[in-house]
Amino acid sequence: MFNIYTPLLILIGCVLQDHAYPADELMPLTCRGRVRGLEPSRGDVDDALGMFSLTLIDTLDTLVLLNKTAEFEAAVRRVLKDVRLDNDVVVSVFETNIRVLGGLLGGHSMAVMLKDAGHYMQWYQDELLHMAKDLGLRLLPAFNTSSGLPYPRVNLKHGVRGPESRTGTETDTCTACAGTIILEFAALSRFTGDPVFEVHARRALNFLWEKRQRNSNLVGTTINIHSGEWVRRDSGVGAGIDSYYEYLLKAYILLGDDLFLQRFNIHYASIMKYISQPPLLLDVHIHKPLLPARTWMDSLLAFFPGLQVLKGDIRPAIETHEMLYQVTKKHNFLPEAFTTDFRVHWAQHPLRPEFAESTYFLYKATKDPYYLEVGRTVLDNLNRFARVPCGFAAMKDVRTGSHEDRMDSFFLAEMFKYLFLLFAEEEDLPFNVEDYIFTTEAHLLPLSLSNDTTSNNIQMIELEELDDSNFDWTCPNTRLLFPDPAFPRNLRDPIRSAVDKSCPRPALHREPGMGRPPLRAQDFMANNPDHLELLRRMGVSLIHLKDGRVQLVQHATQAVSAVAAEDGMRFMQEMMELSSQQQKEQLPPRAVQIISHPFFGRVVLTAGPAQFGTDLSKSITGVSPYSGCAELSNAAFVQGRIALLQRGQCMFAEKARHIMKAGAIGGIVIDDNEGSSSDTAPLFQMAGDGRNTDDVTLPLLFLFYKEGNILLEALKEYREVEVLLSDKARDRGEIHWTEQEGATDWRHVQNMGPYFISPSFPSPPLFCVCGRAAQCRLVLCK
């Protein structure tokens, strides 16, 4: 094995103690400790620092794993002697929980294990556990919210709220921040016998579960801690969400509660359905999970192959890990974010350990020596590019090799721990790691906690009624899964080729006039002059077709430079991928039903849906977009009615926004391609314009020329026509009319489904119904 712990010991034994202690972190370029308040603020990054010797606490159980027991005993004495937890400083609840509380609990677990072995720590009387409980009590005020989700920050001395605390004004937190509590808090409860910590952690997890998007079973990235509304509705497995999923599965492993596994399995099925596009893991919108939310990935998702190993889903773990490895080899490190064609999106690399973590778990599962080669590459790159005289420095830019004066505590707590475990033989380990679960900070908590009687004091939630056949309760044997030793290589080779064939993007010396970032397909708007100018520079021509579609053509020779031509090729590829992704969602047809006299529901027109706006099959209220490419001149007439629009000249979503502004409650777009009919043409789905269309809240339906003319003729003859927009036609027997003084008042006799909220309507319903008598009439836009 590699003697990889030698540089680690030098760092801990010499550099940290001689140059950084008692500071929270080492600054490896200036060779001194980082003390919060004495150094320029780094914003949210500094919320991990609490003047509590963060790196030392975070590294306690690493010392034991490396069989440096005497050094561990000395470190524990130093923590007990010097560390204070009542500092008047505002810290991140999430970071303090996983790094400091987790570090104290991991240190306590190791101290108890060594004491029971009868050689070291015989003087130990649970002092680290007492400190952990003190810290847990200081974090508890953050959970004093109506939802049970914690505030993102807490003052160690003053708690939350009050002028002296400088906290309590936040409204939002990330899903991972609120959902990565259960392991540490449950362990603290079971170690101490006080259930209050586990109760609060479970309450936060329960709330997040209840707030998942029920159709996609995904969670957003940021949530309002008071209302439970999703603030950011993009969903992935990377930053902002990552460890929420990790802790659901690991809570089942540590605590033995089937509830956590059931929830994880439901989430996991949705992740593999919507987010996983092997070997990529791409963010999607929780309400429209078939539409990608961005075209790049962040490095924190590198933990996911390791989690898939714990789940027992080895094949996609191999594929995604291989993609990450090839990106690592391409840039020496995994960039903080990288595009789907494996270019740098954010160039930093703060020595994150997630890729090493997944490498370790894959090696444990497969025993494939290939992963030792991967680990050697990681280790070599650390020594070649990140090693500095006073430690290891984060990479400021992986393209240039520049450094940042930063060495986060997780580098020693996780990176070297996983690298050591990857290469260690069984006789190198002082204890059996299979008896422990790794937290997200790689702290070791004993699996024996599941047998603690404290769990009897925790109020459990009844398991949901689920079919056990839908869930995997055990992991497969990898030797049976991959009987052919060459099979994993067959999975990896195509991915290696795909990454190798993607050319690195020129990082410097962009051509004149191309200083702006390239246009992304998801941001493109056909009516934006700046976007059209960018297209021209990239050699891309935009042509408006007669049927309303937009055609893009690229001529590389017409681009202003080779770099611009490359941008154009990438843009065209993204547009094709975006279009292909949108077409994957085959929505069923919708219905336009004429319900006014003399039709009474007998005329039903087949309509195509929109990939945005209200979904008529799910929503209680129904409406749709329009067909005006500028602000409507008859806006007052359109208000409260369903707008009829003609196809063409601009994007469908743009039409929808204009009629929404005019106050319309829905819209119908009629095809201008003469002779088109739903009888002969495939279902047409109106796509968005590449922008976020969450602002479009009314429904929009599409009628071909033939069906649209039927509606226009009815309007022409009867002047005022009422229609019902819905997922399917309503039974005509449910529609009853009474004429009163020339106006039409209509009531439903039987249950007409979710589109009607009361037996009668003194005022027109705000659904898919276009009323008469200045109420909800079908009108033409001008």
Side-chain angles (χ1 to χ4, degrees):
M1 75 168 241
F2 291 166
N3 189 13
I4 66 168
Y5 54 82
T6 300
L8 176 62
L9 294 178
I10 294 173
L11 283 172
I12 295 176
C14 300
V15 179
L16 288 175
Q17 294 186 19
D18 296 344
H19 301 286
Y21 188 81
D24 285 313
E25 288 180 353
L26 169 70
M27 299 173 66
L29 298 182
T30 53
C31 205
R32 55 192 171 91
R34 181 180 296 279
V35 179
R36 189 170 177 177
L38 299 183
E39 304 293 336
S41 173
R42 301 177 298 171
D44 292 347
V45 174
D46 283 341
D47 287 343
L49 311 180
M51 296 185 288
F52 35 35
S53 297
L54 171 64
T55 299
L56 181 61
I57 291 177
D58 213 3
T59 317
L60 287 176
D61 53 8
T62 306
L63 285 168
V64 180
L65 186 67
L66 297 179
N67 213 5
K68 296 300 171 180
T69 314
E71 289 84 349
F72 168 75
E73 189 161 2
V76 171
R77 290 186 184 275
R78 182 165 287 200
V79 168
L80 299 179
K81 174 177 175 288
D82 297 335
V83 173
R84 293 176 59 92
L85 298 174
D86 61 348
N87 302 309
D88 184 7
V89 60
V90 176
V91 297
S92 162
V93 173
F94 167 74
E95 298 289 357
T96 304
N97 173 67
I98 65 171
R99 299 204 209 186
V100 185
L101 182 58
L104 292 171
L105 292 171
H108 170 70
S109 300
M110 297 294 97
V112 171
M113 182 267 295
L114 291 172
K115 183 178 181 180
D116 290 345
H119 298 293
Y120 293 93
M121 303 297 293
Q122 295 304 301
W123 54 270
Y124 182 70
Q125 298 295 325
D126 296 344
E127 287 87 350
L128 290 177
L129 180 59
H130 299 323
M131 289 185 68
K133 184 172 183 178
D134 179 23
L135 182 59
L137 291 172
R138 295 181 185 279
L139 296 178
L140 273 185
F143 293 79
N144 188 23
T145 62
S146 58
S147 66
L149 299 180
Y151 283 99
R153 296 172 183 85
V154 68
N155 186 296
L156 290 175
K157 187 179 183 71
H158 301 291
V160 175
R161 296 195 180 277
E164 69 280 2
S165 74
R166 303 184 300 282
T167 61
T169 59
E170 303 96 340
T171 58
D172 306 330
T173 193
C174 72
T175 301
C177 299
T180 312
I181 306 289
I182 185 65
L183 293 187
E184 292 82 4
F185 268 40
L188 182 57
S189 281
R190 300 187 181 208
F191 273 135
T192 63
D194 187 347
V196 65
F197 305 103
E198 185 171 344
V199 166
H200 279 82
R202 283 177 176 267
R203 185 182 176 212
L205 275 181
N206 292 339
F207 189 83
L208 287 174
W209 172 253
E210 289 301 318
K211 290 300 178 180
R212 75 193 185 282
Q213 212 290 323
R214 297 303 179 96
N215 294 315
S216 67
N217 280 316
L218 296 173
V219 292
T221 303
T222 307
I223 191 170
N224 185 295
I225 60 177
H226 304 296
S227 67
E229 295 295 320
W230 291 110
V231 179
R232 281 185 54 194
R233 300 178 181 180
D234 49 315
S235 183
V237 296
I241 302 178
D242 49 358
S243 48
Y244 163 69
Y245 292 133
E246 177 186 2
Y247 268 38
L248 280 179
L249 181 56
K250 289 185 176 179
Y252 164 70
I253 296 171
L254 179 66
L255 307 176
D257 189 340
D258 290 350
L259 173 71
F260 295 119
L261 181 61
Q262 288 187 342
R263 292 179 177 179
F264 173 80
N265 279 326
I266 291 173
H267 281 314
Y268 186 77
S270 293
I271 290 169
M272 299 309 292
K273 180 178 181 180
Y274 300 119
I275 294 171
S276 177
Q277 301 178 33
L280 308 180
L281 292 164
L282 294 177
D283 282 21
V284 299
H285 298 283
I286 59 175
H287 294 92
K288 302 170 186 176
L290 292 174
L291 297 180
R294 63 188 190 190
T295 57
W296 49 271
M297 295 167 278
D298 65 76
S299 63
L300 283 171
L301 62 77
F303 90 100
F304 197 67
L307 190 66
Q308 289 179 306
V309 171
L310 288 181
K311 160 72 176 171
D313 201 0
I314 307 295
R315 177 177 182 136
I318 290 174
E319 293 174 329
T320 298
H321 179 274
E322 181 62 21
M323 178 269 294
L324 295 170
Y325 180 40
Q326 296 305 321
V327 174
T328 297
K329 292 204 297 184
K330 195 179 193 72
H331 303 292
N332 297 323
F333 296 98
L334 201 60
E336 194 73 335
F338 52 94
T339 62
T340 53
D341 56 356
F342 315 116
R343 298 174 181 175
V344 172
H345 185 72
W346 295 335
Q348 306 94 327
H349 173 71
L351 307 180
R352 293 200 186 278
E354 285 77 15
F355 179 64
E357 173 186 358
S358 287
T359 303
Y360 163 66
F361 280 111
L362 271 168
Y363 179 67
K364 286 284 289 185
T366 65
K367 293 301 181 183
D368 188 340
Y370 177 80
Y371 296 108
L372 297 179
E373 174 191 329
V374 175
R376 186 186 293 270
T377 300
V378 172
L379 188 61
D380 287 347
N381 287 343
L382 285 172
N383 280 314
R384 288 174 58 202
F385 302 110
R387 185 73 179 269
V388 294
C390 206
F392 290 81
M395 306 303 296
K396 187 175 183 179
D397 192 318
V398 298
R399 296 165 298 188
T400 64
S402 58
H403 290 122
E404 187 177 354
D405 200 4
R406 171 182 180 184
M407 192 182 81
D408 289 81
S409 65
F410 54 66
F411 178 68
L412 299 180
E414 298 183 72
M415 176 70 86
F416 271 96
K417 187 179 288 176
Y418 284 123
L419 287 176
F420 174 80
L421 286 169
L422 176 64
F423 294 108
E425 302 292 344
E426 187 174 344
E427 60 269 18
D428 297 317
L429 301 177
F431 58 90
N432 186 1
V433 294
E434 300 297 331
D435 293 334
Y436 295 82
I437 188 75
F438 289 99
T439 70
T440 195
E441 192 75 4
H443 292 306
L444 294 155
L445 299 177
L447 294 175
S448 58
L449 287 174
S450 62
N451 300 323
D452 194 278
T453 55
T454 305
S455 60
N456 296 330
N457 299 323
I458 307 297
Q459 183 179 1
M460 301 294 183
I461 295 179
E462 292 185 9
L463 294 181
E464 301 172 11
E465 292 295 330
L466 296 172
D467 182 359
D468 282 358
S469 65
N470 293 328
F471 301 102
D472 297 324
W473 296 91
T474 59
C475 295
N477 186 316
T478 54
R479 284 175 293 181
L480 299 177
L481 192 63
F482 302 129
D484 180 4
F487 184 70
R489 186 179 69 244
N490 295 334
L491 295 177
R492 293 192 291 256
D493 284 348
I495 297 167
R496 181 181 309 169
S497 301
V499 178
D500 286 344
K501 290 177 181 177
S502 65
C503 299
R505 180 182 185 79
L508 303 172
H509 310 301
R510 291 180 62 82
E511 296 292 330
M514 291 301 293
R516 288 176 292 182
L519 180 65
R520 311 313 300 257
Q522 65 180 24
D523 300 326
F524 172 66
M525 295 182 62
N527 62 341
N528 187 315
D530 292 337
H531 290 183
L532 296 178
E533 173 60 16
L534 282 173
L535 290 187
R536 186 191 68 77
R537 286 181 163 278
M538 294 188 294
V540 178
S541 302
L542 183 144
I543 303 170
H544 288 281
L545 301 179
K546 182 180 178 181
D547 62 2
R549 292 177 298 162
V550 174
Q551 186 178 65
L552 295 171
V553 180
Q554 192 204 19
H555 300 282
T557 57
Q558 297 178 7
V560 298
S561 69
V563 173
E566 183 186 358
D567 287 341
M569 292 179 64
R570 176 198 48 75
F571 176 83
M572 295 292 288
Q573 180 64 33
E574 286 186 4
M575 286 298 293
M576 287 187 288
E577 292 174 356
L578 185 62
S579 175
S580 173
Q581 187 66 30
Q582 291 172 343
Q583 292 305 316
K584 286 180 181 178
E585 184 176 14
Q586 294 299 319
L587 298 174
R590 304 301 187 219
V592 175
Q593 187 174 16
I594 306 178
I595 60 176
S596 54
H597 174 81
F599 306 97
F600 300 123
R602 286 187 289 268
V603 176
V604 180
L605 308 174
T606 300
Q611 295 175 347
F612 53 90
T614 300
D615 186 340
L616 294 172
S617 68
K618 300 172 184 175
S619 176
I620 292 179
T621 62
V623 251
S624 77
Y626 78 117
S627 162
C629 294
E631 289 195 9
L632 276 61
S633 61
N634 62 338
F637 192 61
V638 172
Q639 185 172 8
R641 298 173 173 84
I642 293 176
L644 274 182
L645 310 166
Q646 187 177 26
R647 182 181 182 183
Q649 300 182 10
C650 66
M651 307 295 283
F652 295 115
E654 184 180 352
K655 300 174 187 288
R657 293 186 177 98
H658 282 133
I659 59 171
M660 274 186 61
K661 186 175 181 180
I665 64 168
I668 300 173
V669 177
I670 297 179
D671 192 7
D672 59 352
N673 185 14
E674 189 170 344
S676 66
S677 167
S678 65
D679 296 332
T680 56
L683 179 68
F684 184 86
Q685 300 183 55
M686 294 176 289
D689 55 3
R691 295 169 50 191
N692 188 319
T693 52
D694 287 347
D695 60 314
V696 180
T697 56
L698 48 70
L700 182 64
L701 295 184
F702 178 87
L703 289 177
F704 284 107
Y705 185 89
K706 175 185 173 182
E707 287 78 11
N709 263 353
I710 293 174
L711 193 58
L712 289 172
E713 288 296 323
L715 186 64
K716 183 177 180 181
E717 182 174 355
Y718 297 98
R719 297 187 58 198
E720 295 181 351
V721 175
E722 297 186 8
V723 299
L724 176 67
L725 310 185
S726 61
D727 60 333
K728 58 183 178 181
R730 294 293 180 260
D731 189 331
R732 294 193 299 272
E734 298 176 347
I735 302 173
H736 178 69
W737 288 86
T738 58
E739 299 288 341
Q740 294 180 349
E741 300 177 3
T744 301
D745 175 35
W746 72 283
R747 310 170 186 274
H748 87 291
V749 179
Q750 303 175 28
N751 179 21
M752 299 187 69
Y755 301 94
F756 303 90
I757 56 176
S758 62
S760 62
F761 298 97
S763 59
L766 300 178
F767 321 110
C768 324
V769 177
C770 177
R772 295 170 71 182
Q775 294 180 359
C776 223
R777 190 168 36 195
L778 190 67
V779 297
L780 295 170
C781 291
K782 296 179 181 178

